[in-house]
Amino acid sequence: MGESILSPVEHIKAASRGLRGTLEAGVADLPTGALGGDDTQLLKFHGSYQQDDRDLREERRLQKLEPAYSFMIRTRLPGGVCTPGQWLALDAIARTHGNGTLRLTTRQAFQLHGVVKRDLKATIAAINATLIDTIGACGDVNRNVIASANPMQSTLHAEVHAWAARISGHLLPRTRAYHEIWLDGARVAGTPEAEPIYGETYLPRKFKVAIAVPPTNDVEVFAHDLGLVAIAGSGAGGADLAGFNVAVGGGLGVTHGDPATYPRLAQVIGFVAPGDTLALAEAIVTTQRDFGDRSNRRRARLKYTIETMGIEAFVAEVQRRAGVQLAAARPYRFTSSGDRFGWTRGVGDRWHLNLRIPAGRIADRDGARHLTGLRAVAAVHRGDFRLTPNQNLIVANVAAGGRAAIDELVRDHGLDLHARTPPTSRDALACVALPTCPLAMAEAERYLPGFLAVFEARLAHHGIAQVPVLVRLSGCPNGCSRPYLAEVALIGKAPGRYNLHLGGDATGERLNVPYRENLTEAGIIAALDPLLQRFAAERRPEERFGDFLWRTKLLSA
Ligand code: SRM
Ligand code: SF4
């Protein structure tokens, strides 16, 4: 590939000396709240994005002020597990350095928003002091590895969680830049450290790994570059891990109006034993490193590399690099994709309480002091917390005797939404979008309650208020709330306007299809209402809305 056609980000990475660039000086340059352009790219690899408050953009422009810059910081939290102590520390950091909210993401991580540049270093250092880091949480590397939540439910879940941490650790960048810049670590003089897996220009694009434990597909394993489906072995209780079915080439990001971009489900290419899993994951990453498109970032994800190489050539290359021969995929079946709300009982008489956190935003609002409530829970909780891939939270590993105290705090702080919310609202997702996301074309998180109120009123009108419909909103086609897997998805087109996609399933195994474009709320409801009416009248017992639309040929591929 000729040098001249490399995308600008490739040049920035190549010149960065192992992701250092001029970040340290830029962070110390306080007269401006922003970083230089190249450093904003490098900062992502350290787990942070420069943003500005888009609600204030126009006002500040008129006042001839620079935009209200701040930084979003994202943690790396394999499998989404943290301790009560870590929760309390992050809560304090969000209130002292952030905007007073914690955001749980669709990849089981925390995001802090609103950190100003002068606090950036102290905030990242404070996060590290809790033994959570932010390395590779963003950027052209492997991102946070996600795994089925409720890992203590069975010994298999616990094994799988350990695998999430192992894969995440194995695929971490080796540069010491992070420690130098944020943690006052010793400087590396001269040639930067080698990056045995990534090389000096890292990957062409982000890379994502998820591990599912059937029958639950809460991670939506086929939306990821590398999806692993855990297969139980024949150990005591059938719980030991036999290995993983391997799926490659999933990804959801799309660009409006560019037919060369599309969502794609990962395809299963075989079965790998535990002992070969790291070698295989590394070979997939290095094949993407060497064959991925470094000229056009819109076509740089693994899904396009596989389409270009052909799946046979891709698998042959991966097997050669790994020195591993994949076996035939093992049978598995998914029966659900969402969370299991309320209390569930796990092994060793431990209990897990899955709470509903709308759009993953934990804040104190009138009548719902969720941040304060969870701080109170963390202060008495002796188990741990688990962030789910659906932006929700599990208060995990509670002894039977500890449940009552947690129930009381949950009720007192309005955190019992799982028990009070209709099924459709309980399962809905929305990405962050405005005001912090620079790519948002329309509202998502802030519009979610309003849209759900209107949508659920139509469900109630048709007598199906208790029938769950999987609804997801994204403020642009990048798909951060995994909208292309929803039964009903709104994908931001312009302020107040959305493309309507229909027809996903309830197990994360079918993409939806575009149904109508550029609709206002009234247009969305007008498009949906006749379909809901027919669904209410003609649905088979237990039939889901997405399945109904395909069966009755109201949708076509
Ligand atoms: Fe995402 C970019 C938020 C999960 C696909 N995503 C962004 C940025 C960083 C905007 C930017 O580039 O400046 C958003 C920050 C908004 C803000 O203000 O906080 C953002 N993405 C999120 C989160 C927080 C959504 C949420 O509401 O939970 C999720 C953070 C996950 C994490 O902890 O790491 C998040 N993003 C996803 C997912 C879902 C997933 O991974 O399971 C996807 C679709 C799956 C995929 O990657 O294919 C996703 N985000 C994107 C894309 C499109 C990538 C592509 O291949 O085209 C972008 C834009 C980009 O990379 O250029 C993007
Ligand atoms: Fe931003 Fe678009 Fe992702 Fe929503 S889907 S957070 S608007 S990039």
Side-chain angles (χ1 to χ4, degrees), residues 411-459:
R411 229 180 5 253
D412 287 353
H413 294 87
L415 281 159
D416 54 347
L417 289 174
H418 59 283
R420 297 188 274 125
T421 309
T424 293
S425 286
R426 212 179 46 188
D427 292 337
L429 303 183
C431 73
V432 180
L434 291 158
T436 51
C437 178
L439 307 178
M441 300 172 178
E443 297 279 356
E445 179 180 327
R446 295 194 296 197
Y447 179 42
L448 186 68
F451 178 73
L452 287 173
V454 176
F455 183 69
E456 293 210 305
R458 296 322 298 163
L459 294 181

Side-chain angles (χ1 to χ4, degrees), residues 524-535:
I524 295 163
I525 297 301
L528 284 172
D529 215 37
L531 304 178
L532 292 173
Q533 185 175 17
R534 281 196 59 182
F535 177 54

Side-chain angles (χ1 to χ4, degrees), residues 461-485:
H461 174 82
H462 296 297
I464 47 173
Q466 291 310 315
V467 176
V469 178
L470 190 58
V471 174
R472 293 182 179 171
L473 272 58
S474 274
C476 83
N478 282 319
C480 298
S481 59
R482 297 191 291 267
Y484 304 102
L485 289 163

Side-chain angles (χ1 to χ4, degrees), residues 116-189:
V116 292
K117 196 168 86 175
R118 101 175 68 82
D119 292 340
L120 190 56
K121 182 169 174 175
T123 309
I124 293 179
I127 293 170
N128 276 268
T130 73
L131 303 183
I132 292 176
D133 65 58
T134 68
I135 306 172
C138 325
D140 296 342
V141 288
N142 177 53
R143 303 291 188 88
N144 195 37
V145 177
I146 69 172
S148 275
N150 241 343
M152 301 310 287
Q153 216 170 289
S154 70
T155 46
L156 180 58
H157 278 87
E159 272 190 72
V160 161
H161 172 256
W163 271 101
R166 209 170 286 144
I167 294 170
S168 179
H170 187 74
L171 297 178
L172 269 182
R174 303 287 200 273
T175 173
R176 298 291 298 168
Y178 185 86
H179 307 82
E180 278 176 26
I181 297 171
W182 312 108
L183 307 176
D184 293 327
R187 257 131 249 277
V188 173

Side-chain angles (χ1 to χ4, degrees), residues 66-81:
E66 74 172 13
Y69 289 117
S70 67
F71 293 82
M72 174 269 274
I73 302 175
R74 187 184 284 166
T75 63
R76 183 178 70 94
L77 204 66
V81 180

Side-chain angles (χ1 to χ4, degrees), residues 283-336:
I284 292 170
V285 166
T286 62
T287 303
Q288 160 68 353
R289 177 195 70 197
D290 297 341
F291 289 82
D293 186 335
R294 290 186 184 259
S295 61
N296 178 1
R297 289 182 65 80
R298 288 182 178 174
R299 295 255 317 159
R301 292 289 292 274
L302 181 67
K303 58 182 174 182
Y304 303 116
T305 312
I306 291 176
E307 299 271 334
T308 307
M309 289 178 76
I311 189 71
E312 291 78 17
F314 176 80
V315 173
E317 181 65 24
V318 165
Q319 294 188 139
R320 189 188 64 73
R321 288 178 182 222
V324 170
Q325 212 51 36
L326 287 163
R330 304 269 178 101
Y332 66 93
R333 184 166 167 258
F334 289 122
T335 57
S336 67

Side-chain angles (χ1 to χ4, degrees), residues 51 103 105 111 113 206 208 252 301 436 480 482:
Q51 306 184 318
R103 180 62 155 68
T105 75
Q111 280 190 184
H113 288 98
K206 59 177 72 166
K208 297 182 174 179
L252 301 182
R301 292 289 292 274
T436 51
C480 298
R482 297 191 291 267

